[in-house]
Every structure is written in structure tokens, then in C-alpha cells.
Amino acid sequence: RHRHSQVLAATGLTPVEFDALLVTFKYHWDEYYSHFTLEGKVRQRISYNRKTSVLPLIQDKMFFILVYLKTNPLQELHAIQFEMTQPQANRWIHLLSEILRRTLKTLGELPDRNSKRLIHILQGCEEVLLDGTERPIQRPLDEDRQSACYSGKKNS
């Protein structure tokens, strides 16, 4: 917690950003956990967080999912890092991913998939950085240059 550079490296967030996101994440966690069990079944009785849980604190839960999403490790490796089994890690990853998605949606931080809304939003921005994706390039029309540049073994 006190090593700011390590929190940033592990989650992609500074401690201040982490705390700001944690408030909404906790709200969505409490909302889910008051109605459903960890397995997704409708809750029959009130349950309290156990101190012996593998992820006892809400900070642990959010740190767990942010580290998973940033580093994208194998579930087995992620489970080892957090001292749990792979099936437990799988269950937590799926549950907390949905909670984080709801959190980001509430805060308006999800990427927009509607191109018309995106154009409207970008009109107010002075500078926009686009994520460049790999695109196939045109092959030379000249047969000699084409054979020199391409082996013919790869299909696009």
C-alpha cells in the first residue's frame, strides 16, 4: 500500500486512483453480495465477510481483479500468487470482472462501442490518440518485387 510505484506497476492505477475507484467498487460488491452468494445463487440469509476468506477485504478483491486484468497471467499462476486454488481463482475472476465492469459503467469509464456517440464525444476533444492496429499492406504489383518480399507461405 505504501509502495506507490508497485501499486501502479501491478494495477495500472496510482493509490489515489485506486481509492477513488474503490468507493464505487465497494458499492457494487455490497449490492451483489447482499442478494447473491459467491456461486451466484440467490441468498437465503444474511452473510458477513469472513476474516478467513482468501480475499477478506474489498481492497483485496479489487487488487486481485486489477492485477489479473493488467498482467493477464494463467489462472493457475494467479491463484498461486494469491494463495488459492485455480478453481477458486476462476470463480473470483468471473465474479469480480462483472463487478468491475458495473463499476466502470457507473463511473462512465467504459469504452464506447457506438460510433455516433463516440464522434459526438470526440468533437469536444482537442487531441485524440488512437490505438493503432495492424492492417494488411498492399502487395507490390510487380511480380519480381512481390517474390522478393513474400515467400508465399503465409496467407493473410
Short mmCIF file of all heavy atoms in Angstrom, two decimals, residues 57-113:
data_model
loop_
_atom_site.label_atom_id
_atom_site.label_comp_id
_atom_site.label_asym_id
_atom_site.label_seq_id
_atom_site.Cartn_x
_atom_site.Cartn_y
_atom_site.Cartn_z
N LEU A 57 -10.77 -8.54 2.41
CA LEU A 57 -11.10 -7.12 2.33
C LEU A 57 -11.51 -6.73 0.92
O LEU A 57 -11.09 -7.35 -0.06
CB LEU A 57 -9.90 -6.27 2.75
CG LEU A 57 -9.36 -6.53 4.16
CD1 LEU A 57 -8.09 -5.72 4.39
CD2 LEU A 57 -10.40 -6.21 5.21
N ILE A 58 -12.30 -5.68 0.82
CA ILE A 58 -12.74 -5.20 -0.50
C ILE A 58 -11.53 -4.72 -1.31
O ILE A 58 -11.49 -4.90 -2.53
CB ILE A 58 -13.81 -4.09 -0.36
CG1 ILE A 58 -14.45 -3.79 -1.71
CG2 ILE A 58 -13.26 -2.85 0.27
CD1 ILE A 58 -15.30 -4.90 -2.27
N GLN A 59 -10.51 -4.18 -0.64
CA GLN A 59 -9.29 -3.77 -1.33
C GLN A 59 -8.59 -4.98 -1.95
O GLN A 59 -8.05 -4.89 -3.06
CB GLN A 59 -8.31 -3.07 -0.37
CG GLN A 59 -8.78 -1.76 0.17
CD GLN A 59 -9.54 -1.92 1.49
OE1 GLN A 59 -10.15 -2.93 1.77
NE2 GLN A 59 -9.51 -0.87 2.30
N ASP A 60 -8.62 -6.10 -1.24
CA ASP A 60 -8.01 -7.33 -1.76
C ASP A 60 -8.73 -7.79 -3.02
O ASP A 60 -8.10 -8.23 -3.98
CB ASP A 60 -8.06 -8.45 -0.72
CG ASP A 60 -7.28 -8.12 0.53
OD1 ASP A 60 -6.31 -7.34 0.45
OD2 ASP A 60 -7.65 -8.65 1.61
N LYS A 61 -10.05 -7.71 -3.01
CA LYS A 61 -10.85 -8.15 -4.15
C LYS A 61 -10.55 -7.30 -5.38
O LYS A 61 -10.33 -7.81 -6.48
CB LYS A 61 -12.34 -8.09 -3.81
CG LYS A 61 -12.76 -9.12 -2.77
CD LYS A 61 -14.19 -8.84 -2.32
CE LYS A 61 -14.70 -9.83 -1.30
NZ LYS A 61 -13.96 -9.86 -0.04
N MET A 62 -10.53 -5.97 -5.19
CA MET A 62 -10.28 -5.09 -6.33
C MET A 62 -8.84 -5.22 -6.81
O MET A 62 -8.58 -5.24 -8.02
CB MET A 62 -10.61 -3.65 -5.99
CG MET A 62 -10.66 -2.76 -7.23
SD MET A 62 -11.39 -1.18 -6.94
CE MET A 62 -9.93 -0.23 -6.60
N PHE A 63 -7.89 -5.35 -5.88
CA PHE A 63 -6.50 -5.54 -6.26
C PHE A 63 -6.35 -6.84 -7.06
O PHE A 63 -5.65 -6.87 -8.08
CB PHE A 63 -5.62 -5.58 -5.00
CG PHE A 63 -4.15 -5.65 -5.29
CD1 PHE A 63 -3.46 -4.53 -5.72
CD2 PHE A 63 -3.46 -6.83 -5.13
CE1 PHE A 63 -2.09 -4.59 -6.00
CE2 PHE A 63 -2.10 -6.91 -5.40
CZ PHE A 63 -1.42 -5.78 -5.83
N PHE A 64 -7.01 -7.90 -6.62
CA PHE A 64 -6.97 -9.20 -7.29
C PHE A 64 -7.38 -9.08 -8.76
O PHE A 64 -6.67 -9.53 -9.66
CB PHE A 64 -7.89 -10.19 -6.56
CG PHE A 64 -8.03 -11.52 -7.22
CD1 PHE A 64 -7.11 -12.54 -6.97
CD2 PHE A 64 -9.08 -11.80 -8.09
CE1 PHE A 64 -7.23 -13.78 -7.57
CE2 PHE A 64 -9.21 -13.03 -8.69
CZ PHE A 64 -8.29 -14.03 -8.43
N ILE A 65 -8.52 -8.45 -9.02
CA ILE A 65 -9.03 -8.39 -10.39
C ILE A 65 -8.22 -7.40 -11.23
O ILE A 65 -7.99 -7.65 -12.42
CB ILE A 65 -10.55 -8.09 -10.44
CG1 ILE A 65 -11.09 -8.37 -11.83
CG2 ILE A 65 -10.88 -6.69 -9.98
CD1 ILE A 65 -10.95 -9.80 -12.30
N LEU A 66 -7.77 -6.31 -10.65
CA LEU A 66 -6.96 -5.35 -11.42
C LEU A 66 -5.61 -5.94 -11.81
O LEU A 66 -5.14 -5.73 -12.94
CB LEU A 66 -6.77 -4.05 -10.63
CG LEU A 66 -8.02 -3.18 -10.48
CD1 LEU A 66 -7.73 -2.00 -9.57
CD2 LEU A 66 -8.55 -2.73 -11.82
N VAL A 67 -4.99 -6.69 -10.91
CA VAL A 67 -3.72 -7.34 -11.23
C VAL A 67 -3.93 -8.37 -12.32
O VAL A 67 -3.14 -8.47 -13.27
CB VAL A 67 -3.09 -7.98 -9.97
CG1 VAL A 67 -1.93 -8.89 -10.34
CG2 VAL A 67 -2.63 -6.91 -9.01
N TYR A 68 -5.03 -9.12 -12.23
CA TYR A 68 -5.31 -10.14 -13.25
C TYR A 68 -5.50 -9.48 -14.62
O TYR A 68 -4.94 -9.93 -15.62
CB TYR A 68 -6.55 -10.95 -12.88
CG TYR A 68 -6.91 -11.95 -13.95
CD1 TYR A 68 -6.22 -13.15 -14.05
CD2 TYR A 68 -7.91 -11.70 -14.87
CE1 TYR A 68 -6.52 -14.07 -15.03
CE2 TYR A 68 -8.21 -12.61 -15.87
CZ TYR A 68 -7.52 -13.79 -15.94
OH TYR A 68 -7.82 -14.70 -16.93
N LEU A 69 -6.27 -8.42 -14.68
CA LEU A 69 -6.55 -7.77 -15.96
C LEU A 69 -5.33 -7.07 -16.54
O LEU A 69 -5.15 -7.02 -17.75
CB LEU A 69 -7.71 -6.78 -15.81
CG LEU A 69 -9.06 -7.42 -15.52
CD1 LEU A 69 -10.10 -6.35 -15.23
CD2 LEU A 69 -9.51 -8.30 -16.68
N LYS A 70 -4.47 -6.53 -15.69
CA LYS A 70 -3.27 -5.85 -16.20
C LYS A 70 -2.21 -6.83 -16.66
O LYS A 70 -1.62 -6.66 -17.73
CB LYS A 70 -2.68 -4.93 -15.14
CG LYS A 70 -1.39 -4.27 -15.65
CD LYS A 70 -1.17 -2.93 -15.08
CE LYS A 70 -0.08 -2.19 -15.80
NZ LYS A 70 1.25 -2.56 -15.49
N THR A 71 -1.97 -7.89 -15.87
CA THR A 71 -0.86 -8.79 -16.20
C THR A 71 -1.28 -9.99 -17.04
O THR A 71 -0.43 -10.61 -17.67
CB THR A 71 -0.19 -9.31 -14.91
OG1 THR A 71 -1.16 -10.02 -14.14
CG2 THR A 71 0.38 -8.16 -14.10
N ASN A 72 -2.56 -10.34 -17.03
CA ASN A 72 -3.10 -11.45 -17.82
C ASN A 72 -2.32 -12.75 -17.63
O ASN A 72 -1.90 -13.38 -18.59
CB ASN A 72 -3.16 -11.07 -19.29
CG ASN A 72 -4.05 -12.00 -20.08
OD1 ASN A 72 -4.95 -12.62 -19.53
ND2 ASN A 72 -3.79 -12.12 -21.36
N PRO A 73 -2.14 -13.18 -16.36
CA PRO A 73 -1.41 -14.43 -16.14
C PRO A 73 -2.31 -15.64 -16.33
O PRO A 73 -3.53 -15.51 -16.44
CB PRO A 73 -1.00 -14.33 -14.66
CG PRO A 73 -2.12 -13.57 -14.06
CD PRO A 73 -2.55 -12.57 -15.11
N LEU A 74 -1.73 -16.83 -16.35
CA LEU A 74 -2.53 -18.04 -16.30
C LEU A 74 -3.28 -18.05 -14.97
O LEU A 74 -2.77 -17.58 -13.96
CB LEU A 74 -1.64 -19.28 -16.39
CG LEU A 74 -0.88 -19.49 -17.68
CD1 LEU A 74 0.08 -20.67 -17.52
CD2 LEU A 74 -1.85 -19.75 -18.82
N GLN A 75 -4.48 -18.60 -14.96
CA GLN A 75 -5.25 -18.63 -13.72
C GLN A 75 -4.51 -19.40 -12.64
O GLN A 75 -4.58 -19.05 -11.46
CB GLN A 75 -6.63 -19.24 -13.97
CG GLN A 75 -7.54 -18.33 -14.73
CD GLN A 75 -8.92 -18.92 -14.91
OE1 GLN A 75 -9.21 -20.02 -14.48
NE2 GLN A 75 -9.79 -18.16 -15.55
N GLU A 76 -3.81 -20.44 -13.02
CA GLU A 76 -3.05 -21.23 -12.04
C GLU A 76 -1.98 -20.37 -11.37
O GLU A 76 -1.81 -20.41 -10.15
CB GLU A 76 -2.40 -22.43 -12.74
CG GLU A 76 -1.69 -23.37 -11.80
CD GLU A 76 -2.63 -24.14 -10.90
OE1 GLU A 76 -3.75 -24.50 -11.34
OE2 GLU A 76 -2.25 -24.40 -9.74
N LEU A 77 -1.26 -19.57 -12.15
CA LEU A 77 -0.23 -18.70 -11.61
C LEU A 77 -0.85 -17.62 -10.73
O LEU A 77 -0.33 -17.31 -9.65
CB LEU A 77 0.59 -18.07 -12.74
CG LEU A 77 1.67 -17.09 -12.32
CD1 LEU A 77 2.72 -17.79 -11.45
CD2 LEU A 77 2.33 -16.48 -13.53
N HIS A 78 -1.94 -17.04 -11.17
CA HIS A 78 -2.62 -16.00 -10.39
C HIS A 78 -3.12 -16.59 -9.06
O HIS A 78 -3.04 -15.93 -8.02
CB HIS A 78 -3.77 -15.42 -11.20
CG HIS A 78 -4.21 -14.06 -10.74
ND1 HIS A 78 -3.37 -13.00 -10.63
CD2 HIS A 78 -5.43 -13.61 -10.35
CE1 HIS A 78 -4.04 -11.94 -10.20
NE2 HIS A 78 -5.29 -12.30 -10.02
N ALA A 79 -3.60 -17.81 -9.09
CA ALA A 79 -4.07 -18.49 -7.87
C ALA A 79 -2.90 -18.68 -6.90
O ALA A 79 -3.06 -18.46 -5.70
CB ALA A 79 -4.69 -19.83 -8.22
N ILE A 80 -1.75 -19.06 -7.42
CA ILE A 80 -0.58 -19.25 -6.56
C ILE A 80 -0.18 -17.92 -5.90
O ILE A 80 0.12 -17.88 -4.71
CB ILE A 80 0.60 -19.82 -7.37
CG1 ILE A 80 0.29 -21.26 -7.79
CG2 ILE A 80 1.91 -19.74 -6.60
CD1 ILE A 80 1.25 -21.82 -8.82
N GLN A 81 -0.21 -16.84 -6.67
CA GLN A 81 0.16 -15.53 -6.13
C GLN A 81 -0.76 -15.10 -4.99
O GLN A 81 -0.32 -14.43 -4.06
CB GLN A 81 0.11 -14.47 -7.23
CG GLN A 81 1.19 -14.61 -8.26
CD GLN A 81 1.02 -13.64 -9.42
OE1 GLN A 81 -0.10 -13.25 -9.75
NE2 GLN A 81 2.12 -13.25 -10.03
N PHE A 82 -2.02 -15.49 -5.05
CA PHE A 82 -2.99 -15.09 -4.03
C PHE A 82 -3.35 -16.23 -3.07
O PHE A 82 -4.34 -16.16 -2.36
CB PHE A 82 -4.25 -14.52 -4.69
CG PHE A 82 -4.04 -13.13 -5.22
CD1 PHE A 82 -3.54 -12.93 -6.50
CD2 PHE A 82 -4.30 -12.03 -4.44
CE1 PHE A 82 -3.32 -11.65 -6.99
CE2 PHE A 82 -4.10 -10.75 -4.91
CZ PHE A 82 -3.61 -10.56 -6.19
N GLU A 83 -2.53 -17.30 -3.08
CA GLU A 83 -2.66 -18.43 -2.17
C GLU A 83 -4.07 -19.04 -2.19
O GLU A 83 -4.75 -19.13 -1.18
CB GLU A 83 -2.27 -18.01 -0.75
CG GLU A 83 -0.84 -17.56 -0.64
CD GLU A 83 -0.46 -17.10 0.73
OE1 GLU A 83 -1.35 -16.94 1.60
OE2 GLU A 83 0.74 -16.88 0.96
N MET A 84 -4.48 -19.45 -3.37
CA MET A 84 -5.76 -20.13 -3.55
C MET A 84 -5.62 -21.18 -4.63
O MET A 84 -4.56 -21.29 -5.24
CB MET A 84 -6.88 -19.13 -3.88
CG MET A 84 -6.69 -18.36 -5.18
SD MET A 84 -8.04 -17.24 -5.61
CE MET A 84 -7.85 -15.91 -4.46
N THR A 85 -6.67 -21.93 -4.87
CA THR A 85 -6.64 -22.94 -5.93
C THR A 85 -7.08 -22.32 -7.25
O THR A 85 -7.69 -21.25 -7.26
CB THR A 85 -7.58 -24.12 -5.59
OG1 THR A 85 -8.93 -23.63 -5.56
CG2 THR A 85 -7.21 -24.75 -4.26
N GLN A 86 -6.79 -22.98 -8.34
CA GLN A 86 -7.19 -22.47 -9.66
C GLN A 86 -8.70 -22.35 -9.79
O GLN A 86 -9.19 -21.34 -10.30
CB GLN A 86 -6.59 -23.34 -10.76
CG GLN A 86 -6.84 -22.82 -12.16
CD GLN A 86 -8.17 -23.27 -12.74
OE1 GLN A 86 -8.64 -24.36 -12.46
NE2 GLN A 86 -8.79 -22.43 -13.54
N PRO A 87 -9.51 -23.35 -9.34
CA PRO A 87 -10.97 -23.16 -9.43
C PRO A 87 -11.47 -21.96 -8.62
O PRO A 87 -12.38 -21.25 -9.06
CB PRO A 87 -11.53 -24.47 -8.88
CG PRO A 87 -10.46 -25.47 -9.13
CD PRO A 87 -9.18 -24.72 -8.95
N GLN A 88 -10.85 -21.71 -7.46
CA GLN A 88 -11.23 -20.52 -6.69
C GLN A 88 -10.89 -19.25 -7.46
O GLN A 88 -11.69 -18.31 -7.51
CB GLN A 88 -10.49 -20.50 -5.34
CG GLN A 88 -11.01 -21.45 -4.31
CD GLN A 88 -10.16 -21.40 -3.05
OE1 GLN A 88 -8.93 -21.37 -3.13
NE2 GLN A 88 -10.81 -21.38 -1.91
N ALA A 89 -9.71 -19.22 -8.04
CA ALA A 89 -9.29 -18.05 -8.81
C ALA A 89 -10.24 -17.82 -9.98
O ALA A 89 -10.64 -16.69 -10.26
CB ALA A 89 -7.86 -18.22 -9.32
N ASN A 90 -10.62 -18.89 -10.66
CA ASN A 90 -11.55 -18.79 -11.79
C ASN A 90 -12.88 -18.18 -11.33
O ASN A 90 -13.42 -17.28 -11.99
CB ASN A 90 -11.77 -20.17 -12.40
CG ASN A 90 -12.72 -20.13 -13.58
OD1 ASN A 90 -13.92 -19.99 -13.41
ND2 ASN A 90 -12.17 -20.25 -14.76
N ARG A 91 -13.39 -18.66 -10.21
CA ARG A 91 -14.67 -18.15 -9.70
C ARG A 91 -14.56 -16.67 -9.35
O ARG A 91 -15.41 -15.87 -9.71
CB ARG A 91 -15.09 -18.95 -8.48
CG ARG A 91 -16.48 -18.61 -8.00
CD ARG A 91 -16.94 -19.45 -6.82
NE ARG A 91 -16.77 -20.87 -7.06
CZ ARG A 91 -16.05 -21.68 -6.27
NH1 ARG A 91 -15.45 -21.22 -5.21
NH2 ARG A 91 -15.95 -22.96 -6.54
N TRP A 92 -13.47 -16.29 -8.67
CA TRP A 92 -13.27 -14.90 -8.30
C TRP A 92 -13.08 -14.00 -9.53
O TRP A 92 -13.59 -12.88 -9.58
CB TRP A 92 -12.07 -14.75 -7.36
CG TRP A 92 -12.38 -15.09 -5.94
CD1 TRP A 92 -11.93 -16.17 -5.24
CD2 TRP A 92 -13.20 -14.35 -5.03
NE1 TRP A 92 -12.42 -16.14 -3.96
CE2 TRP A 92 -13.20 -15.02 -3.80
CE3 TRP A 92 -13.93 -13.18 -5.13
CZ2 TRP A 92 -13.91 -14.57 -2.69
CZ3 TRP A 92 -14.63 -12.72 -4.02
CH2 TRP A 92 -14.62 -13.42 -2.84
N ILE A 93 -12.33 -14.48 -10.50
CA ILE A 93 -12.09 -13.69 -11.72
C ILE A 93 -13.40 -13.38 -12.42
O ILE A 93 -13.67 -12.23 -12.81
CB ILE A 93 -11.11 -14.42 -12.66
CG1 ILE A 93 -9.70 -14.38 -12.08
CG2 ILE A 93 -11.13 -13.81 -14.06
CD1 ILE A 93 -8.72 -15.34 -12.74
N HIS A 94 -14.25 -14.39 -12.60
CA HIS A 94 -15.51 -14.16 -13.30
C HIS A 94 -16.44 -13.24 -12.51
O HIS A 94 -17.08 -12.35 -13.09
CB HIS A 94 -16.19 -15.49 -13.60
CG HIS A 94 -15.56 -16.19 -14.76
ND1 HIS A 94 -14.37 -16.88 -14.66
CD2 HIS A 94 -15.95 -16.31 -16.05
CE1 HIS A 94 -14.05 -17.37 -15.84
NE2 HIS A 94 -15.00 -17.04 -16.70
N LEU A 95 -16.51 -13.43 -11.22
CA LEU A 95 -17.38 -12.61 -10.38
C LEU A 95 -16.89 -11.17 -10.32
O LEU A 95 -17.65 -10.22 -10.56
CB LEU A 95 -17.47 -13.21 -8.97
CG LEU A 95 -18.21 -12.39 -7.93
CD1 LEU A 95 -19.66 -12.17 -8.36
CD2 LEU A 95 -18.15 -13.08 -6.59
N LEU A 96 -15.61 -10.99 -10.02
CA LEU A 96 -15.08 -9.64 -9.85
C LEU A 96 -14.96 -8.89 -11.17
O LEU A 96 -15.02 -7.66 -11.18
CB LEU A 96 -13.74 -9.70 -9.12
CG LEU A 96 -13.82 -10.22 -7.68
CD1 LEU A 96 -12.42 -10.33 -7.09
CD2 LEU A 96 -14.72 -9.35 -6.83
N SER A 97 -14.82 -9.59 -12.27
CA SER A 97 -14.80 -8.92 -13.58
C SER A 97 -16.13 -8.23 -13.83
O SER A 97 -16.18 -7.10 -14.33
CB SER A 97 -14.52 -9.91 -14.70
OG SER A 97 -13.22 -10.40 -14.62
N GLU A 98 -17.20 -8.90 -13.49
CA GLU A 98 -18.53 -8.32 -13.67
C GLU A 98 -18.74 -7.14 -12.73
O GLU A 98 -19.30 -6.12 -13.12
CB GLU A 98 -19.61 -9.38 -13.45
CG GLU A 98 -21.03 -8.88 -13.62
CD GLU A 98 -21.32 -8.29 -15.00
OE1 GLU A 98 -20.67 -8.68 -15.99
OE2 GLU A 98 -22.21 -7.42 -15.07
N ILE A 99 -18.29 -7.26 -11.49
CA ILE A 99 -18.41 -6.16 -10.53
C ILE A 99 -17.61 -4.95 -11.02
O ILE A 99 -18.07 -3.81 -10.98
CB ILE A 99 -17.93 -6.59 -9.13
CG1 ILE A 99 -18.73 -7.78 -8.60
CG2 ILE A 99 -17.97 -5.42 -8.15
CD1 ILE A 99 -20.17 -7.54 -8.31
N LEU A 100 -16.40 -5.19 -11.52
CA LEU A 100 -15.57 -4.10 -12.04
C LEU A 100 -16.20 -3.47 -13.28
O LEU A 100 -16.18 -2.25 -13.44
CB LEU A 100 -14.16 -4.60 -12.36
CG LEU A 100 -13.18 -3.54 -12.85
CD1 LEU A 100 -12.95 -2.47 -11.78
CD2 LEU A 100 -11.86 -4.16 -13.24
N ARG A 101 -16.81 -4.29 -14.15
CA ARG A 101 -17.48 -3.75 -15.33
C ARG A 101 -18.63 -2.82 -14.92
O ARG A 101 -18.79 -1.73 -15.47
CB ARG A 101 -18.00 -4.88 -16.22
CG ARG A 101 -18.52 -4.37 -17.57
CD ARG A 101 -19.34 -5.41 -18.30
NE ARG A 101 -20.57 -5.73 -17.60
CZ ARG A 101 -21.65 -4.97 -17.57
NH1 ARG A 101 -21.66 -3.80 -18.15
NH2 ARG A 101 -22.73 -5.36 -16.92
N ARG A 102 -19.41 -3.25 -13.94
CA ARG A 102 -20.50 -2.40 -13.44
C ARG A 102 -19.96 -1.11 -12.84
O ARG A 102 -20.55 -0.03 -13.02
CB ARG A 102 -21.32 -3.15 -12.39
CG ARG A 102 -22.15 -4.26 -12.94
CD ARG A 102 -22.91 -4.94 -11.84
NE ARG A 102 -23.52 -6.17 -12.32
CZ ARG A 102 -24.07 -7.07 -11.54
NH1 ARG A 102 -24.10 -6.89 -10.23
NH2 ARG A 102 -24.61 -8.15 -12.05
N THR A 103 -18.86 -1.22 -12.13
CA THR A 103 -18.24 -0.05 -11.52
C THR A 103 -17.81 0.95 -12.59
O THR A 103 -18.11 2.15 -12.49
CB THR A 103 -17.01 -0.47 -10.68
OG1 THR A 103 -17.43 -1.38 -9.67
CG2 THR A 103 -16.33 0.72 -10.06
N LEU A 104 -17.12 0.46 -13.60
CA LEU A 104 -16.65 1.34 -14.68
C LEU A 104 -17.82 1.93 -15.46
O LEU A 104 -17.77 3.07 -15.90
CB LEU A 104 -15.71 0.58 -15.59
CG LEU A 104 -14.39 0.15 -14.95
CD1 LEU A 104 -13.59 -0.71 -15.91
CD2 LEU A 104 -13.59 1.35 -14.48
N LYS A 105 -18.89 1.17 -15.60
CA LYS A 105 -20.07 1.68 -16.30
C LYS A 105 -20.71 2.80 -15.50
O LYS A 105 -21.10 3.83 -16.05
CB LYS A 105 -21.07 0.55 -16.55
CG LYS A 105 -22.27 0.99 -17.35
CD LYS A 105 -23.17 -0.17 -17.70
CE LYS A 105 -24.31 0.33 -18.56
NZ LYS A 105 -25.22 -0.74 -18.94
N THR A 106 -20.82 2.60 -14.19
CA THR A 106 -21.38 3.64 -13.32
C THR A 106 -20.57 4.92 -13.39
O THR A 106 -21.12 6.03 -13.43
CB THR A 106 -21.43 3.14 -11.86
OG1 THR A 106 -22.25 1.98 -11.80
CG2 THR A 106 -21.97 4.20 -10.93
N LEU A 107 -19.25 4.79 -13.44
CA LEU A 107 -18.37 5.96 -13.49
C LEU A 107 -18.23 6.55 -14.89
O LEU A 107 -17.57 7.56 -15.08
CB LEU A 107 -16.99 5.59 -12.95
CG LEU A 107 -16.95 5.19 -11.46
CD1 LEU A 107 -15.58 4.68 -11.08
CD2 LEU A 107 -17.37 6.36 -10.59
N GLY A 108 -18.82 5.89 -15.90
CA GLY A 108 -18.72 6.37 -17.27
C GLY A 108 -17.35 6.16 -17.87
O GLY A 108 -16.94 6.91 -18.75
N GLU A 109 -16.65 5.13 -17.43
CA GLU A 109 -15.29 4.87 -17.89
C GLU A 109 -15.17 3.70 -18.86
O GLU A 109 -14.06 3.34 -19.23
CB GLU A 109 -14.37 4.62 -16.69
CG GLU A 109 -14.22 5.82 -15.76
CD GLU A 109 -13.54 7.00 -16.42
OE1 GLU A 109 -12.72 6.79 -17.34
OE2 GLU A 109 -13.83 8.14 -16.04
N LEU A 110 -16.27 3.10 -19.24
CA LEU A 110 -16.20 2.00 -20.20
C LEU A 110 -15.97 2.55 -21.61
O LEU A 110 -16.47 3.62 -21.95
CB LEU A 110 -17.50 1.19 -20.19
CG LEU A 110 -17.67 0.18 -19.10
CD1 LEU A 110 -19.00 -0.55 -19.27
CD2 LEU A 110 -16.55 -0.83 -19.08
N PRO A 111 -15.25 1.83 -22.46
CA PRO A 111 -15.10 2.28 -23.84
C PRO A 111 -16.46 2.30 -24.53
O PRO A 111 -17.29 1.45 -24.29
CB PRO A 111 -14.20 1.21 -24.47
CG PRO A 111 -13.61 0.46 -23.35
CD PRO A 111 -14.52 0.60 -22.18
N ASP A 112 -16.67 3.30 -25.36
CA ASP A 112 -17.94 3.42 -26.06
C ASP A 112 -17.91 2.60 -27.34
O ASP A 112 -16.95 2.66 -28.10
CB ASP A 112 -18.23 4.88 -26.40
CG ASP A 112 -19.70 5.16 -26.53
OD1 ASP A 112 -20.45 4.20 -26.80
OD2 ASP A 112 -20.10 6.32 -26.36
N ARG A 113 -18.93 1.81 -27.58
CA ARG A 113 -18.99 0.95 -28.75
C ARG A 113 -19.87 1.54 -29.86
O ARG A 113 -19.92 1.01 -30.95
CB ARG A 113 -19.55 -0.42 -28.37
CG ARG A 113 -18.77 -1.13 -27.29
CD ARG A 113 -17.42 -1.55 -27.81
NE ARG A 113 -16.71 -2.32 -26.81
CZ ARG A 113 -15.42 -2.34 -26.70
NH1 ARG A 113 -14.67 -1.65 -27.52
NH2 ARG A 113 -14.84 -3.05 -25.77
#
